[in-house]
Amino acid sequence: MFKITSDVITGEEVREAVEAPDAGAVVLFFGTVRNNTDGRAVSFLEYEAYPPMAEKKMAEISEEIAKKWGIDRVAMIHRVGKLEIGEVSVAVAVASPHRKDGFEACQYAMNRLKQIVPIWKREVWADGETEWVKPDAVFFEELPEKK
Amino acid sequence: MKVTVKYFAVCHEMLNRSEEEMELPEDATVRTILKRLEEEWPEIAEFYEVMQMSVNWEYATEDTELSEGDEVALIPPVTGGTDV
């Protein structure tokens, strides 16, 4: 399951999607809306996505994980629209025979998601100002190659 | 030929539209679109360094050749997930 949604994310959707009888571990990650950025109070967040491309890129990340760890049970869902403090913006589930690979693959999925999946976050500050968030430095090191 | 061009996040706001149809010459590439946008919004050139383009949901380069009906998008630096 690779999905962009405007609905509340419970985590059950990704957990169920990776269920497998040979799994000894399911690693579940939630990204949640924090009430501040570097100490500045955030009122709420708005996420925007390019859904068909985002879902395609999520599927590609899953293929990368299959190659690196041999894990083929990965699910990702990201919410768009207005999100309040504490709400879940993204959930990733990875099922694997053993936990070590599952934790690594889940971490990898999130890192890649922030690099190649077209989703944008806008912070609306408590004072009413808004700002599109700039990416981490890692983004610029991992840009798809330009010719 | 006609292509659809989509704008997201900061591009959407600066250009004040989320998508449009563009009539382009038959030998058009992604660069043709960038040049045309630059005429309307010269500041956009500063963003080109960090911005990606996509054609039909795949990252593309300025030299990528376009075909009738293609869906092109300007992809500002992505910030999905959270800073965790």
Side-chain angles (χ1 to χ4, degrees):
Chain A
M1 170 201 245
F2 309 106
K3 197 172 166 191
I4 299 296
T5 182
S6 50
D7 297 334
V8 169
I9 294 173
T10 65
E12 271 309 294
E13 55 295 78
V14 284
R15 195 190 63 78
E16 282 174 12
V18 300
E19 272 182 349
D22 61 346
V26 174
V27 176
L28 189 55
F29 172 83
F30 291 119
T32 56
V33 178
R34 193 174 35 223
N35 68 358
N36 77 92
T37 297
D38 298 330
R40 188 175 179 190
V42 169
S43 183
F44 60 90
L45 294 184
E46 281 175 351
Y47 282 96
E48 182 178 333
Y50 183 11
M53 183 168 171
E55 291 169 1
K56 179 169 184 262
K57 290 289 148 191
M58 286 174 174
E60 283 178 22
I61 293 169
S62 169
E63 285 164 23
E64 292 173 13
I65 288 171
K67 282 198 189 115
K68 280 175 182 282
W69 288 278
I71 292 172
D72 59 2
R73 292 279 172 175
V74 178
M76 286 176 242
I77 188 166
H78 202 300
R79 190 170 158 194
V80 291
K82 180 180 174 180
L83 274 76
E84 305 289 346
I85 306 300
E87 287 195 293
V88 175
S89 58
V90 58
V92 177
V94 177
S96 57
H98 304 284
R99 72 182 184 283
K100 181 172 177 287
D101 285 351
F103 275 118
E104 284 177 11
C106 190
Q107 169 89 317
Y108 178 86
M110 272 308 298
N111 288 344
R112 292 293 283 155
L113 187 141
K114 290 166 70 69
Q115 289 162 359
I116 66 167
V117 180
I119 300 171
W120 301 274
K121 175 166 76 172
R122 189 162 75 150
E123 285 169 325
V124 179
W125 306 100
D127 59 18
E129 275 185 48
T130 71
E131 189 177 348
W132 287 102
V133 177
K134 294 179 190 70
D136 305 344
V138 65
F139 173 88
F140 295 100
E141 291 162 16
E142 301 288 342
L143 278 177
E145 266 193 36
K146 270 188 171 174
K147 282 179 190 152
Chain B
M1 67 171 131
K2 259 192 189 143
V3 300
T4 303
V5 188
K6 289 177 165 279
Y7 309 110
F8 294 98
V10 67
C11 297
H12 175 183
E13 279 181 4
M14 298 295 261
L15 289 165
N16 208 22
R17 55 188 183 269
S18 61
E19 70 170 79
E20 66 187 313
E21 294 236 302
M22 255 189 213
E23 183 69 50
L24 300 174
E26 287 308 310
D27 61 349
T29 64
V30 166
R31 186 178 291 106
T32 314
I33 294 175
L34 297 180
K35 292 279 174 211
R36 197 170 288 184
L37 290 171
E38 221 179 310
E39 287 167 21
E40 178 186 349
W41 177 31
E43 294 83 5
I44 200 171
E46 293 168 27
F47 287 83
Y48 286 167
E49 267 305 290
V50 295
M51 202 146 45
Q52 296 292 305
M53 305 289 296
S54 70
V55 177
N56 301 333
W57 312 345
E58 197 46 65
Y59 286 107
T61 71
E62 292 186 8
D63 296 322
T64 302
E65 293 172 6
L66 300 174
S67 309
E68 171 74 28
D70 277 350
E71 183 172 300
V72 181
L74 267 70
I75 312 279
V78 304
T79 52
T82 48
D83 304 325
V84 286

